[in-house]
Amino acid sequence: MQVLTGLEVGLLRSLIGGVMAMIILLIKHCALPNRQQIIRLYLGSLGIIYGFPIFSSLAITSVPVSHGAILPLSTAVFGVWLSKKIMPLAFWIWSIVGALLVIGYVVMTKDLQSLVLGDIYLALAVILAGFGYAQSGQLSQSMPGWQVICWMLVLNFPIILGLSLAFVDFSHINMMKASHIGALLFLASVSGLFGFFSWNKALAMGGIATISQLQLLQTFLTYGVAVLFMGEQWNWLSLIICLLVVATVYQTQKTARQVF
């Protein structure tokens, strides 16, 4: 049973994450970002705080989230654009092959319907997330990655609070079960905050375009968890495609090292 709408989930996860981030920054006595960093933090927020959480929450009510398999490619494109780094042609070829493999896997294994609106939402989520990840990766080279996501959440907290008061029906929270609350807290704390601590650091250390391709493995990690814990049926096609995707990720990492 759906208790919260996609928009409510997207807003509440950022609202809760903002409170957590505020506490962390106060405990750590972090200095305020400079003017240039604040501008970039707001630019990155378009994808990380608003675009991906809200549009992906709206999309997955009708479209499998694995339709967003081009997210690594989107992140790589924005990362190269922002860093002005030229990647080898082979990197782009392997990146596209990896994305096509995941998309092909979805088409072969899912009963897809023509859900145009959901796909539009997911396309917007992917594009904005790629832009946001690239901005975060750039910022993480001048400030700690964990501060990047914390400041994004805190700087946008007044806006998120206002949007939540306008669009969230808080009476819905009374209908939430413990599992619903746990899922929302997980989205807010892990997906929306703590997960970015290591992700931003990885983007800064390994390069945005290079590290972004590791996201191609996400579909199959999700599938593995579903098989182990949620009773989803195992099939050999998934294993074969997963191995092929791992091969493309290896090739992207190999070709990316040529630019260093």
Side-chain angles (χ1 to χ4, degrees):
M1 180 184 70
Q2 182 178 342
V3 179
L4 301 175
T5 66
L7 179 60
E8 288 174 329
V9 171
L11 290 171
L12 287 174
R13 65 178 277 184
S14 294
L15 189 67
I16 297 169
V19 174
M20 294 179 178
M22 213 176 297
I23 294 171
I24 292 172
L25 290 174
L26 287 173
I27 291 174
K28 292 288 188 177
H29 302 289
C30 297
L32 287 169
N34 60 41
R35 182 174 177 274
Q36 186 178 6
Q37 288 173 330
I38 289 175
I39 292 173
R40 280 209 148 175
L41 285 166
Y42 274 118
L43 286 174
S45 300
L46 295 176
I48 293 175
I49 307 301
Y50 300 102
F52 189 76
I54 293 174
F55 284 120
S56 63
S57 296
L58 290 169
I60 60 174
T61 59
S62 57
V63 174
V65 72
S66 47
H67 281 208
I70 61 169
L71 177 56
L73 192 57
S74 173
T75 306
V77 169
F78 282 115
V80 169
W81 172 56
L82 289 172
S83 63
K84 297 180 175 60
K85 185 179 293 183
I86 299 175
M87 302 299 289
L89 177 61
F91 171 86
W92 296 111
I93 292 174
W94 285 114
S95 298
I96 293 170
V97 169
L100 291 176
L101 279 169
V102 177
I103 292 171
Y105 167 78
V106 173
V107 171
M108 288 186 289
T109 57
K110 300 292 183 182
D111 181 19
L112 301 181
Q113 299 175 352
S114 182
L115 299 170
V116 179
L117 185 59
D119 282 316
I120 291 174
Y121 284 146
L122 197 55
L124 289 171
V126 165
I127 293 170
L128 289 170
F131 178 74
Y133 288 164
Q135 290 285 356
S136 291
Q138 285 285 293
L139 274 166
S140 297
Q141 294 176 3
S142 62
M143 63 191 302
W146 65 269
Q147 284 193 31
V148 172
I149 184 60
C150 284
W151 280 118
M152 280 187 182
L153 286 164
V154 170
L155 289 173
N156 286 277
F157 186 81
I159 302 172
I160 292 295
L161 178 60
L163 292 172
S164 298
L165 292 173
F167 295 106
V168 175
D169 185 347
F170 287 92
S171 65
H172 289 171
I173 296 177
N174 296 328
M175 298 185 291
M176 294 176 67
K177 298 179 181 178
S179 58
H180 297 145
I181 295 173
L184 182 60
L185 290 176
F186 180 88
L187 285 174
S189 59
V190 179
S191 300
L193 181 60
F194 298 120
F196 279 99
F197 287 15
S198 55
W199 177 244
N200 288 342
K201 185 175 182 179
L203 289 172
M205 292 176 62
I208 300 167
T210 305
I211 298 300
S212 67
Q213 298 310 302
L214 297 176
Q215 291 173 305
L216 285 169
L217 301 175
Q218 181 175 322
T219 298
F220 300 97
L221 291 173
T222 304
Y223 174 73
V225 171
V227 169
L228 290 173
F229 301 107
M230 300 178 67
E232 186 158 335
Q233 189 174 1
W234 163 265
N235 65 77
W236 284 101
L237 175 63
S238 301
L239 176 61
I240 293 170
I241 298 295
C242 182
L243 292 174
L244 290 174
V245 169
V246 170
T248 67
V249 171
Y250 170 77
Q251 290 297 330
T252 60
Q253 307 306 299
K254 181 179 178 181
T255 56
R257 284 195 289 270
Q258 297 175 15
V259 303
F260 296 104

